[in-house]
Amino acid sequence: MGNCHTVGPNEALVVSGGCCGSDYKQYVFGGWAWAWWCISDTQRLSLEVMTILCRCENIETSEGVPLFVTGVAQVKIMTEKELLAVACEQFLGKSVQDIKNVVLQTLEGHLRSILGTLTVEQIYQDRDQFAKLVREVAAPDVGRMGIEILSFTIKDVYDKVDYLSSLGKTQTAVVQRDADIGVAEAERDAGIREAECKKEMLDVKFMADTKIADSKRAFELQKSAFSEEVNIKTAEAQLAYELQGAREQQKIRQEEIEIEVVQRKKQIAVEAQEILRTDKELIATVRCPAEAEAHRIQQIAEGEKVKQVLLAQAEAEKIRKIGEAEAAVIEARGKAEAERMKLKAEAYQKYGDAAKMALVLDALPRIAAKIAAPLTKVDEIVVLSGDNSKVTSEVNRLLAELPASVHALTGVDLSKIPLIKKATGAQV
């Protein structure tokens, strides 16, 4: 049998041991676990935040100034299973104070080493950066213990050689100097503002004077405008008088032009009658004879055209008749040639091999002539032979082989001809 153990979220429960010598370990936080009597062991580890106060006294900076630095760190054990197992392995069974001492030694060591690399100004004026650097350097080491640094801040920095107070005096002097500069700048701004007010006053005065001058100028302009208007009206009246006189002159000229137009119309009518008379005279003396001559020439051309058409039709009929006669002649010749070929084929069929042989014999001279045609270009052939010459025997051999060659080419056996048979037999 066993017991059921529960833990809150701020505490971790480690259950180890079991049946048959098991080395299995169970890590629980914010939950419950079962532990067997006698064979299981249960231990608890706090997960609460631990506040650690780090003091480094009389630590020299990179410039050799001894400082006293106090820092505050907030750390806790991490709850990830692997890291919780590491923390349990190192701190299980120890009190919270023992865990704080271990972490304190680690943080103080890193704090001392970092102080030795910085100046007093860097440490005092930028404490956040200094604290961040301590966290970044110390976090890997405490992390390997399963502990997480939640925060690290610098609480106090002081020295016993008045170095920081000297820096304060310098800053005080800088502030006093800035205050004096501020007063001077305020007085300067007041003077500038006073000058600006005077300038604004003068601007208002000048604007008033300008408005007065503008009013005078507007009066003069209005007076000039009135005078100009009077002059314009006078000029318009004069122009109206001259314009009316010009209109009267125009009317007189228009009447004169109308009289000239009537006279011109009368002259045009007389000229038109003269043109009609001249036209009729030309028609009687020139146009009518010309039209008669043109009609005569047209009739002659029409007759010539008909003549040429009839001659062309006669010539075409002549050519057609000649073509039909020639076609009839060609047709008759074709039929005669076809009849001749038909009779020749029947004769060849009737006489059989004798006819074929006759054709071959008739064709042999022509074949020989075609073969020997290249030799016609040779002027002379000289055949040399001695006592042992074989020219005659070679010629005889070629003659003996001739029937076989013709039989291979045409299928006709010349050896059956008595004369050739006798000649080839004698050679053999």
Side-chain angles (χ1 to χ4, degrees):
M1 297 300 291
N3 293 329
C4 181
H5 298 269
T6 60
V7 289
N10 62 335
E11 192 176 20
L13 175 66
V14 181
V15 180
S16 57
C19 298
C20 303
S22 174
D23 58 354
Y24 172 74
K25 298 179 182 63
Q26 185 178 4
Y27 303 94
V28 180
F29 59 92
W32 64 275
W34 177 266
W36 298 97
W37 292 343
C38 300
I39 60 175
S40 295
D41 183 32
T42 58
Q43 291 178 296
R44 298 174 184 267
L45 185 64
S46 175
L47 300 179
E48 294 179 352
V49 176
M50 295 174 284
T51 301
I52 299 174
L53 187 64
C54 301
R55 290 190 179 90
C56 293
E57 299 179 353
N58 204 25
I59 305 301
E60 293 185 357
T61 63
S62 61
E63 297 174 342
V65 178
L67 290 180
F68 294 81
V69 179
T70 303
V72 179
Q74 307 292 338
V75 301
K76 69 180 293 293
I77 294 174
M78 290 184 280
T79 57
E80 286 79 0
K81 185 175 181 181
E82 293 79 6
L83 298 175
L84 180 60
V86 172
C88 290
E89 181 181 348
Q90 298 184 24
F91 300 115
L92 201 61
K94 292 184 178 182
S95 64
V96 174
Q97 188 60 42
D98 293 336
I99 298 173
K100 286 183 178 182
N101 290 335
V102 173
V103 178
L104 176 62
Q105 296 299 324
T106 303
L107 292 176
E108 286 183 351
H110 287 295
L111 183 59
R112 290 173 183 272
S113 63
I114 293 172
L115 283 172
T117 61
L118 300 176
T119 63
V120 177
E121 288 79 2
Q122 291 174 334
I123 297 170
Y124 186 76
Q125 295 176 1
D126 197 356
R127 296 188 181 188
D128 292 339
Q129 184 64 28
F130 174 46
K132 180 180 178 181
L133 183 61
V134 174
R135 285 198 305 271
E136 291 177 352
V137 174
D141 289 344
V142 297
R144 284 190 290 270
M145 302 177 191
I147 294 177
E148 177 185 8
I149 299 177
L150 300 178
S151 68
F152 182 85
T153 57
I154 301 301
K155 182 178 180 182
D156 189 17
V157 177
Y158 65 94
D159 69 302
K160 294 183 179 181
V161 294
D162 297 333
Y163 187 90
L164 294 176
S165 62
S166 300
L167 291 176
K169 291 178 181 178
T170 302
Q171 185 64 26
T172 302
V174 170
V175 173
Q176 184 64 38
R177 180 199 63 191
D178 293 342
D180 295 339
I181 293 172
V183 171
E185 289 178 349
E187 293 177 353
R188 179 199 63 192
D189 294 341
I192 292 172
R193 182 59 183 165
E194 183 179 359
E196 288 177 353
C197 291
K198 291 181 179 180
K199 178 178 177 297
E200 290 177 358
M201 179 188 68
L202 293 175
D203 290 340
V204 172
K205 181 178 181 300
F206 292 152
M207 288 178 64
D209 294 340
T210 302
K211 288 182 178 180
I212 294 170
D214 289 340
S215 298
K216 290 181 178 180
R217 181 176 62 83
F219 171 75
E220 295 294 335
L221 290 174
Q222 190 68 29
K223 183 178 178 181
S224 300
F226 291 154
S227 299
E228 182 181 359
E229 186 175 356
V230 171
N231 295 330
I232 290 173
K233 294 298 183 180
T234 304
E236 287 178 353
Q238 183 65 29
L239 289 174
Y241 172 75
E242 294 177 357
L243 181 61
Q244 186 64 31
R247 287 175 180 173
E248 294 298 329
Q249 292 292 331
Q250 185 177 8
K251 287 180 180 180
I252 295 169
R253 179 58 183 163
Q254 186 174 0
E255 293 294 334
E256 293 176 351
I257 291 172
E258 288 179 357
I259 294 170
E260 291 177 358
V261 168
V262 171
Q263 293 175 353
R264 186 62 180 165
K265 285 181 178 180
K266 294 292 184 181
Q267 186 179 357
I268 290 171
V270 172
E271 291 176 354
Q273 294 297 325
E274 181 65 22
I275 290 170
L276 290 175
R277 186 192 66 77
T278 305
D279 189 17
K280 289 179 180 180
E281 182 180 356
L282 290 173
I283 290 172
T285 59
V286 178
R287 181 176 178 182
C288 290
E291 289 180 352
E293 182 65 20
H295 181 69
R296 185 182 68 81
I297 294 171
Q298 184 178 4
Q299 293 299 321
I300 294 171
E302 290 291 335
E304 187 66 25
K305 175 182 176 183
V306 173
K307 176 183 176 182
Q308 293 295 331
V309 171
L310 293 176
L311 289 175
Q313 289 178 353
E315 183 67 22
E317 184 66 21
K318 175 185 174 183
I319 293 170
R320 186 178 65 79
K321 293 294 183 180
I322 293 171
E324 289 178 354
E326 290 178 353
V329 172
I330 293 171
E331 182 179 1
R333 286 179 181 176
K335 288 181 179 180
E337 183 66 22
E339 186 65 24
R340 186 180 69 82
M341 295 298 292
K342 179 179 180 183
L343 293 175
K344 187 184 286 189
E346 290 176 354
Y348 287 158
Q349 186 175 7
K350 181 177 181 181
Y351 292 104
D353 294 339
K356 294 179 182 179
M357 190 171 295
L359 287 174
V360 172
L361 291 175
D362 290 340
L364 282 177
R366 293 194 298 274
I367 296 172
K370 294 293 184 179
I371 295 173
L375 297 177
T376 59
K377 299 180 181 179
V378 179
D379 295 335
E380 184 180 0
I381 298 176
V382 179
V383 179
L384 301 177
S385 64
D387 296 338
N388 297 324
S389 176
K390 296 182 180 180
V391 175
T392 305
S393 61
E394 289 296 326
V395 172
N396 293 333
R397 185 179 62 80
L398 291 174
L399 291 174
E401 293 177 354
L402 182 60
S405 299
V406 173
H407 183 268
L409 293 171
T410 64
V412 178
D413 190 3
L414 297 179
S415 63
K416 293 181 180 180
I417 301 173
L419 180 58
I420 297 177
K421 182 176 182 181
K422 182 179 180 181
T424 56
Q427 298 300 327
V428 176

